[in-house]
Amino acid sequence: MKILLVAINAKYIHSNLAACSLRAYARRHVSRRDVAIEIAEHTINRQQDDILRDIAGRRPDMVCFSCYIWNMAYVEEIIRDFAKVCPDVPIWLGGPEVSYDAGEVLARLSQVSGIMKGEGEQTFAELCEGKPLEEIPGITFRQRDGSICENEWREPVDMDELPFVYEDMGEFENRILYYETSRGCPFSCSYCLSSVDKRLRFKSLSLVKEELSVFLREEVPQVKFVDRTFNSKASHAMEIWKFLLENDNGVTNFHFEISADLLNEEELTLMEKMRPGLIQLEIGVQSTNSETVREIQRTMDFEKLSRNVMRIRGMNNIHQHLDLIAGLPFENLKSFEKSFDDVYRLRPDQLQLGFLKVLKGSRMEEKKADYGLEHKDMPPYEVLYTDWLSFEEISELKGIEEMVEAYYNSRQFGHALEELEKEYASPYRMYRELWIYHEKNGGLGMQHKRSARYELLLGFMGDVCKKGENYCRELLAYDYYLRENAKSRPLFAGENRMEKEQARLFYERESKEHEYLPSYAGYDKNQLRRMTHLEYFPELGKTVLFDYMEKNPLDQEARTVEIK
């Protein structure tokens, strides 16, 4: 009997922890020798016909799909077509998108035989074993007469019972790996499904260290912890961070979702000792409106969060990603503008402006009528408007989001943005005017070349900045060469004012003395010139050497040296 687990990911670089965990658990616990379990991983960017041919071509006896808000519509189309070409093959679904309205999903999709609700490892193993469906907790299934039977939910699994899914690292080459040391969440945020499961439990630290050692030994590029609030138990987080510091391989990056206001002095002191790029932090702020925070049942001390974020920023060794959510109750446009400005002024490496998704099974879904909350009917059920935010205001925030993604989160315009910010009391207002400028100049929604973004920003800055267009042009050129060793000069940058004879003499001397480029011993003057960039900025009043061999591991900017 061949059982196929189908995972349709957002990108090729992602791996699917859920499918891998189901397979690993079943291989350990299923006694039947005639059961073979395969995983078919695809992405939502692939043609559906190609996925359909692959699934049908494997000739499975049962197919199971992993369902999330971002792939559900795609999965449904494949299910309908697969059922036509393989009508006798049972189809099962699992994942958060189908767990909380399983009966409705079965009523809507007549092709589906059943749904695994919640944690699926033990449930899937019992399905593989051939246990009668009536005796399997954690499923909703279609009976022979077409009626739908809803079994009771299954008790959570002991975390130490879950096998390590990455025994064969060859399967995951060049992929981001996902890893968990806990399940459940101690908090009650109304927009999040993790709050549904209050039974927070942890994998034993000895087992965690053993498994993390595999990632370190194999020099995996990145491991993302999927623990919902990694530092909810300080002793657990501290022990893992200490282990990573002591066993750092100099390569692997570990990503954590944390509550920054929970960080204590011991944890912060430990973080100061970490290699730049060893860990990165994702921190959900969501809103700084106290009424909103209270209504969504979120626990957050924003003052303490701010102190900790700023302290970590001062360490210059940890990437911080801060999140906001638009569309929450009691958050109108003016309130959101303040939330945006509060978080922006913390200067995170990334600022994610997200929009409320009304998840099935969440308290937010139960309360949506109270909030005048309307959302899209199709996944990901994104907010359209609320009693506090109109659709037009949501549309404005979409424009702000695009500007933040293009200019702030790209990390390509840092010095130019810092100068531009001096002209505005509110960062939100700055991005709003930039958005309006983009709309007027045909820039909004377009997929631009990087140089086109510079030209649009230069045009905007030329109208706004008091120091004039030439000063702004030099700032943008500085930002450009921080990231790019470009040998064909972009049009927006104008001419390099560096005299050719001065540049020739500099590289000739540097090839012998290595005063500014100590890492380039053994390279001749022509090689040095190709591997670096030298620029004179008269408006900025300095000559700068951009060294691309020694980039900052956090932002990938070139090392810069001011030449005297």
Side-chain angles (χ1 to χ4, degrees):
M1 180 182 182
K2 180 190 286 188
I3 300 175
L4 187 63
L5 295 166
V6 180
I8 300 178
N9 304 323
K11 297 179 181 178
Y12 169 76
I13 197 171
H14 298 165
S15 55
N16 191 290
L17 178 59
C20 293
S21 189
L22 262 59
R23 179 181 64 178
Y25 189 91
R27 283 178 172 176
R28 176 181 290 184
H29 292 279
V30 174
S31 59
R32 285 180 57 178
R33 298 295 182 90
D34 63 335
V35 173
I37 302 166
E38 292 183 9
I39 294 177
E41 287 199 75
H42 298 279
T43 77
I44 57 175
N45 300 312
R46 192 172 181 187
Q47 291 290 330
Q48 291 184 5
D49 283 351
D50 294 338
I51 298 176
L52 181 61
R53 279 195 297 270
D54 176 67
I55 297 172
R58 294 175 185 245
R59 301 187 180 281
D61 298 296
M62 184 168 85
V63 175
C64 306
F65 288 88
S66 184
C67 303
Y68 301 89
I69 55 172
W70 44 265
N71 75 358
M72 190 63 206
Y74 200 88
V75 167
E76 284 195 24
E77 289 188 41
I78 294 173
I79 286 171
R80 291 187 176 96
D81 291 337
F82 178 79
K84 292 174 183 176
V85 296
C86 299
D88 298 324
V89 177
I91 299 171
W92 282 77
L93 309 181
E97 180 53 23
V98 294
S99 289
Y100 298 96
D101 63 343
E104 293 177 26
V105 174
L106 288 180
R108 183 175 76 246
L109 295 173
S110 60
Q111 303 86 353
V112 176
S113 302
I115 290 171
M116 294 176 270
K117 302 179 292 188
E119 296 181 7
E121 286 87 0
Q122 293 172 309
T123 304
F124 178 67
E126 291 180 9
L127 282 173
C128 293
E129 198 72 71
K131 190 173 180 180
L133 298 183
E134 295 80 4
E135 300 175 15
I136 301 177
I139 66 169
T140 299
F141 65 97
R142 197 183 310 279
Q143 302 185 95
R144 290 184 179 179
D145 63 1
S147 62
I148 295 171
C149 180
E150 187 102 35
N151 288 3
E152 63 181 359
W153 282 69
R154 181 180 291 277
E155 287 299 309
V157 67
D158 182 338
M159 291 293 291
D160 284 356
E161 290 294 315
L162 300 175
F164 186 58
V165 305
Y166 299 112
E167 295 294 349
D168 182 5
M169 293 299 295
E171 281 188 61
F172 305 96
E173 192 173 356
N174 301 319
R175 312 282 288 280
I176 295 172
L177 304 188
Y178 296 89
Y179 180 69
E180 60 184 346
T181 70
S182 66
R183 286 183 181 176
C185 184
F187 303 114
S188 304
C189 304
S190 63
Y191 53 84
C192 180
L193 282 180
S194 296
S195 63
V196 174
D197 184 1
K198 293 294 180 192
R199 292 160 293 192
L200 179 60
R201 63 255 189 232
F202 297 86
K203 190 177 287 189
S204 62
L205 286 165
S206 58
L207 186 55
V208 170
K209 292 175 183 179
E210 180 184 326
E211 293 173 348
L212 290 177
S213 295
V214 176
F215 299 134
L216 293 164
R217 185 176 64 248
E218 296 293 330
E219 297 189 346
V220 171
Q222 186 175 54
V223 177
K224 284 196 171 187
F225 280 64
V226 298
D227 304 53
R228 297 314 302 160
T229 306
F230 177 75
N231 62 327
S232 59
K233 183 178 177 183
S235 60
H236 180 83
M238 185 67 183
E239 191 68 22
I240 292 172
W241 283 334
K242 185 178 179 183
F243 177 81
L244 295 179
L245 175 63
E246 293 172 350
N247 295 275
D248 181 16
N249 61 11
V251 175
T252 306
N253 165 263
F254 295 90
H255 176 104
F256 301 91
E257 293 184 32
I258 70 161
S259 288
D261 55 321
L262 297 182
L263 291 171
N264 59 39
E265 181 60 33
E266 186 182 18
E267 290 168 321
L268 290 165
T269 300
L270 183 73
M271 287 178 179
E272 289 175 341
K273 303 173 185 177
M274 291 179 172
R275 162 182 63 86
L278 172 59
I279 72 168
Q280 64 186 49
L281 304 176
E282 183 171 347
I283 299 163
V285 180
Q286 322 314 6
S287 172
T288 64
N289 180 329
S290 58
E291 193 174 9
T292 296
V293 171
R294 215 170 22 249
E295 179 62 24
I296 62 176
Q297 299 184 337
R298 184 165 175 76
T299 305
M300 180 184 65
D301 181 341
F302 183 68
E303 186 177 336
K304 185 178 180 183
L305 180 149
S306 299
R307 289 198 305 270
N308 288 342
V309 166
M310 291 301 289
R311 179 169 169 183
I312 292 169
R313 180 171 172 247
M315 298 175 189
N316 294 314
N317 63 345
I318 295 173
H319 174 104
Q320 295 185 97
H321 175 132
L322 270 58
D323 295 330
L324 285 169
I325 297 178
L328 295 172
F330 299 105
E331 185 97 271
N332 59 23
L333 193 61
K334 185 177 179 180
S335 166
F336 189 85
E337 180 178 327
K338 182 182 183 303
S339 291
F340 181 93
D341 288 349
D342 289 341
V343 174
Y344 189 89
R345 290 184 176 118
L346 297 178
R347 309 301 299 181
D349 298 286
Q350 297 275 301
L351 198 172
Q352 176 73 47
L353 200 173
F355 293 82
L356 177 65
K357 277 76 173 175
V358 184
L359 305 179
K360 295 173 184 176
S362 68
R363 181 173 176 271
M364 187 64 68
E365 185 188 36
E366 295 173 8
K367 299 268 291 180
K368 64 184 181 182
D370 297 341
Y371 303 144
L373 169 58
E374 285 292 343
H375 59 82
K376 294 180 180 178
D377 289 334
M378 296 297 291
Y381 315 112
E382 191 171 272
V383 61
L384 291 169
Y385 61 85
T386 72
D387 280 345
W388 299 272
L389 272 178
S390 68
F391 177 71
E392 289 73 22
E393 290 169 331
I394 291 281
S395 299
E396 175 177 318
L397 293 179
K398 291 281 186 179
I400 305 299
E401 177 198 27
E402 183 171 341
M403 295 300 94
V404 171
E405 283 298 313
Y407 290 104
Y408 185 84
N409 287 344
S410 69
R411 314 307 295 174
Q412 295 171 358
F413 307 90
H415 293 82
L417 288 177
E418 282 183 21
E419 185 62 33
L420 192 55
E421 288 162 15
K422 296 174 184 177
E423 307 293 337
Y424 291 88
S426 162
Y428 180 92
R429 291 286 164 175
M430 180 187 81
Y431 284 102
R432 185 178 185 277
E433 287 195 18
L434 181 58
W435 167 59
I436 293 169
Y437 179 86
H438 264 244
E439 276 200 317
K440 288 180 179 177
N441 290 273
L444 201 63
M446 294 175 62
Q447 294 297 319
H448 286 290
K449 291 182 179 178
R450 184 178 164 195
S451 59
R453 290 287 190 198
Y454 283 90
E455 289 165 9
L456 278 164
L457 188 56
L458 177 60
F460 180 69
M461 293 182 73
D463 293 342
V464 173
C465 292
K466 296 182 180 69
K467 290 186 178 179
E469 185 175 319
N470 286 336
Y471 187 84
C472 296
R473 187 185 302 278
E474 287 190 8
L475 281 177
L476 285 164
Y478 189 95
D479 283 333
Y480 187 85
Y481 282 107
L482 272 175
R483 290 298 190 97
E484 181 133 1
N485 184 14
K487 296 313 172 188
S488 59
R489 192 171 181 82
L491 291 175
F492 77 86
E495 294 182 6
N496 187 346
R497 305 292 184 84
M498 189 77 199
E499 293 183 11
K500 292 182 179 179
E501 181 61 16
Q502 285 183 312
R504 186 189 68 78
L505 289 173
F506 170 81
Y507 282 111
E508 190 172 282
R509 183 175 66 251
E510 191 62 20
S511 67
K512 299 170 184 175
E513 299 176 5
H514 299 290
E515 178 184 356
Y516 298 103
L517 297 168
S519 301
Y520 288 74
Y523 294 101
D524 63 32
K525 60 183 180 182
N526 294 324
Q527 290 172 315
L528 291 183
R529 197 162 196 158
R530 285 194 298 271
M531 298 167 71
T532 64
H533 179 74
L534 188 65
E535 179 104 6
Y536 172 50
F537 299 97
E539 296 283 340
L540 305 183
K542 57 187 176 182
T543 299
V544 179
L545 178 67
F546 297 86
D547 173 9
Y548 300 102
M549 187 178 288
E550 295 188 21
K551 290 187 175 182
N552 185 316
L554 292 187
D555 56 24
Q556 295 303 304
E557 289 184 353
R559 180 179 75 96
T560 57
V561 189
E562 190 171 339
I563 306 300
K564 299 177 182 178

